[in-house]
Amino acid sequence: MTEDLKRLAQDAIAASAAADDPDYPCFHVVPPVGRLNDPNGLLIDGDTYHAFYQLSPFHPHRKLVYWGHSSSTDLLHWRHHAPAIIPDSSYDRSGAYSGNAIVLEGHEVDAAPARAPFQLFYTGNLKDPVTDERTASQCLVTSGDLTDFAKWPGNPLIPAHAEGYTTHYRDPQVFRDPDRPGEYRMLIGVQRADETGAAVLYRSRDLVSWELEGELSFPGAGGAFDAFGYMWECPGLVRLKDEDTGEDWDVLIWCPQGITPEREGFENIFPCVYTAGHLVGTELRDTGGVFYEVDRGFEFYAPQVFARRSSEPGPVLLTGWAGNASEDDQPSIETGQWVHALTMPRMLSLKAGRLIQRPAASLPYDAGEPALVGERLKAGLHEVDELSGHRSWQLRLEADTEHTAGLWGLRIGSDDSHVDITLDGQVLRVDRTTSRYAQHGSVRSVTLPEGCAPVLEVIHDRSLTEVFVGDGALVLTLRSFVAIDSSGVRLMVDRDLALTAGSTRTFTPS
């Protein structure tokens, strides 16, 4: 008898006690049960944000990937929904892998598959149970209301990989072609036959029939990306305007597996990088071969931007997986049978070729100011009273450089089990050595971008911490399993500290 995979997942979710785990975040997207990884199909529908994601509801006992689904009206309180894509078809029975969404309107809907405003694209994964050979195909799901989801009867849209590439051919990103109205493009991460990574572009007028345009190339990059790792995952292109010049740039964000640049950073098993250029056909021009990491933290991978209707412009929002490969050994899998989370959505902009990332759920103007602001603080640990008793909070502090000497920062947790986040001149240092999870890196020191202001903003949610420095010039994400019985945060001062501004807010489970 054929398994009812939808019912089995719903039963696992219904039986889950994950939300009772004291490490379970309050205001991030987390799985209702099992394992979460890449964000998928992020989109905005009016005043509601929808986050789909890779969900393995039977983890760790069985590896079978669905698309999970959560929604929010404020980017802080997330509601679970039933899984949206079930891996129960002949072309995806080994998993419904990553992809994205596009939101249509007006005449676009009239010409769309199933006349549906929401089009979700994903990679169907199929492995032969005898030979273990993989078939990767690009597939479509449509929805009229984001409650019911239907697989396109003509799936798969792209049944196999193109000649010259291996079966590692996945993670479609579909977007409107801003230069050719009425046409769409699909970007796919691939591995060449010589086992180097790349991305390919397809084109379509109807979102069903796709024609291969060619491989994404980088003229003028000096060959920097010609043999850049062995596989490119989750590639995405987004157009951003430079804050200083007003010029539009096409920013490629992707995860090149297997790169080892000889410079600071790139400590994680798999990195996530970006480069800025101008997309002309299949050429990303003007990058100069320059690239940077998106996030300098221990846990960050596979980010994606939210899709929206063309008539509803707004800030570009990005969310990533606060995890990475081989990191399923976190304490929560034992205490609550769940693992991993998504980052808080971030507003993206560009300045002098560098990404600026700011929390999308920014602190309100009437947020409380810590009593420590305005004081001259001496060496020691100083309790931030406004956050005492809370394990989910947001704190922003700005230092006066003329009256500050030595390092300063925050201690989250107890004296015995904590994470320290400190600024010392132009270096950010994060130390989680004494926490309950440091297997994949305990200390990270990061040189700040030139001109980075002494502004430290930290979002902490039980076991997940995001650090923003210099008004978003640098971001670092980490899992922070500190002492469960600890709360609040303490300000660490090495010599002298004067704070000129600050704000706080706290969160409770919804």
Side-chain angles (χ1 to χ4, degrees):
M1 186 175 71
T2 303
E3 287 184 300
D4 185 344
L5 292 177
K6 183 175 183 178
R7 182 187 61 79
L8 288 174
Q10 289 174 329
D11 288 348
I13 292 169
S16 174
D20 298 328
D21 186 347
D23 288 319
Y24 197 72
C26 293
F27 60 100
H28 286 77
V29 174
V30 279
V33 69
R35 182 181 190 265
L36 169 153
N37 54 295
D38 305 357
N40 296 154
L42 305 178
L43 64 88
I44 304 170
D45 178 29
D47 61 357
T48 303
Y49 304 85
H50 291 263
F52 301 87
Y53 51 87
Q54 296 279 277
L55 172 66
S56 303
F58 315 121
H59 181 85
H61 310 293
R62 181 182 181 184
K63 182 181 178 182
L64 188 60
V65 182
Y66 297 59
W67 271 33
H69 180 200
S70 295
S71 68
S72 173
T73 57
D74 61 3
L75 296 175
L76 295 172
H77 301 91
W78 293 90
R79 174 189 173 197
H80 292 304
H81 302 280
I85 303 180
I86 314 299
D88 58 1
S89 301
S90 60
Y91 47 82
D92 65 9
R93 65 171 178 252
S94 301
Y97 280 14
S98 290
N100 85 320
I102 189 166
V103 184
L104 306 178
E105 60 182 342
H107 69 276
E108 294 176 330
V109 176
D110 296 336
R115 296 174 63 87
F118 306 105
Q119 307 276 324
L120 286 65
F121 299 85
Y122 72 101
T123 296
N125 186 46
L126 179 64
K127 281 192 174 183
D128 188 294
V130 177
T131 65
D132 203 37
E133 291 184 359
R134 179 199 302 265
T135 300
S137 60
Q138 314 314 315
C139 307
L140 169 66
V141 164
T142 64
S143 178
D145 56 8
L146 296 175
T147 297
D148 296 314
F149 299 86
K151 291 180 179 177
W152 181 244
N155 276 343
L157 306 179
I158 302 174
H161 58 283
E163 184 177 354
Y165 302 94
T166 74
T167 55
H168 292 286
Y169 204 87
R170 56 182 175 266
D171 309 334
Q173 183 217 20
V174 174
F175 56 99
R176 296 176 182 85
D177 187 339
D179 304 315
R180 290 167 63 172
E183 297 189 16
Y184 304 90
R185 307 187 81 180
M186 179 188 290
L187 183 67
I188 300 176
V190 303
Q191 182 186 66
R192 301 187 186 102
D194 67 359
E195 297 188 350
T196 57
V200 295
L201 281 158
Y202 285 76
R203 182 176 293 276
S204 176
R205 289 182 176 273
D206 61 6
L207 297 172
V208 172
S209 300
W210 293 89
E211 179 181 352
L212 177 63
E213 292 187 279
E215 190 174 295
L216 183 65
S217 63
F218 303 84
F225 305 120
D226 292 352
F228 197 61
Y230 61 80
M231 170 65 192
W232 288 9
E233 287 198 320
C234 304
L237 279 161
V238 59
R239 185 160 288 183
L240 296 174
K241 191 178 294 294
D242 188 282
E243 289 187 358
D244 292 333
T245 67
E247 183 180 1
D248 286 332
W249 290 83
D250 295 309
V251 180
L252 175 68
I253 301 173
W254 80 109
C255 301
Q257 297 181 332
I259 64 170
T260 55
E262 295 183 358
R263 70 187 209 219
E264 179 184 299
F266 305 95
E267 298 100 326
N268 297 343
I269 181 172
F270 295 137
C272 178
V273 303
Y274 69 93
T275 190
H278 296 99
L279 184 65
V280 180
T282 60
E283 297 180 346
L284 189 61
R285 302 174 182 176
D286 308 320
T287 68
V290 175
F291 62 94
Y292 305 98
E293 286 187 277
V294 176
D295 185 299
R296 290 296 307 274
F298 303 97
E299 282 84 35
F300 186 85
Y301 197 72
Q304 185 178 114
V305 299
F306 282 76
R308 62 170 79 235
R309 293 179 177 88
S310 298
S311 65
E312 299 175 356
V316 175
L317 301 181
L318 175 138
T319 289
W321 171 28
N324 213 312
S326 304
E327 292 197 8
D328 296 344
D329 53 349
Q330 296 175 7
S332 61
I333 201 65
E334 296 296 331
T335 58
Q337 288 73 58
W338 67 278
V339 64
H340 301 307
L342 299 185
T343 66
M344 175 180 280
R346 305 166 181 178
M347 296 183 290
L348 291 189
S349 64
L350 200 67
K351 183 177 289 190
R354 299 291 294 264
L355 276 183
I356 303 297
Q357 304 174 69
R358 302 180 177 99
S362 56
L363 284 159
Y365 291 109
D366 59 352
E369 182 179 81
L372 295 174
V373 171
E375 293 188 20
R376 296 287 182 88
L377 303 174
K378 296 298 183 180
L381 290 169
H382 305 265
E383 190 77 31
V384 180
D385 292 334
E386 292 80 4
L387 301 179
S388 295
H390 296 276
R391 298 184 63 233
S392 296
W393 44 262
Q394 187 171 0
L395 171 65
R396 178 183 171 92
L397 299 171
E398 184 170 348
D400 180 351
T401 54
E402 292 186 7
H403 298 95
T404 296
L407 66 82
W408 66 279
L410 303 174
R411 171 165 291 180
I412 304 170
S414 67
D415 289 335
D416 296 328
S417 176
H418 58 260
V419 171
D420 288 345
I421 302 165
T422 55
L423 290 175
D424 187 1
Q426 286 301 110
V427 177
L428 168 70
R429 188 172 189 269
V430 176
D431 186 344
R432 62 177 181 181
T433 304
T434 65
S435 73
R436 291 180 289 128
Y437 188 72
Q439 287 90 320
H440 297 274
S442 56
V443 179
R444 187 151 296 179
S445 295
V446 182
T447 302
L448 301 179
E450 187 176 349
C452 193
V455 178
L456 178 63
E457 183 166 1
V458 175
I459 296 169
H460 178 71
D461 194 4
R462 292 185 170 182
S463 63
L464 173 55
T465 303
E466 297 173 72
V467 182
F468 299 80
V469 183
D471 195 29
L474 184 139
V475 186
L476 187 151
T477 301
L478 69 147
R479 297 309 306 272
S480 48
F481 290 90
V482 298
I484 291 175
D485 58 358
S486 64
S487 66
V489 63
R490 287 172 287 174
L491 191 59
M492 302 172 61
V493 180
D494 178 44
R495 291 167 57 190
D496 298 284
L497 173 64
L499 296 174
T500 59
S503 51
T504 66
R505 68 171 160 185
T506 59
F507 304 93
T508 55
S510 56

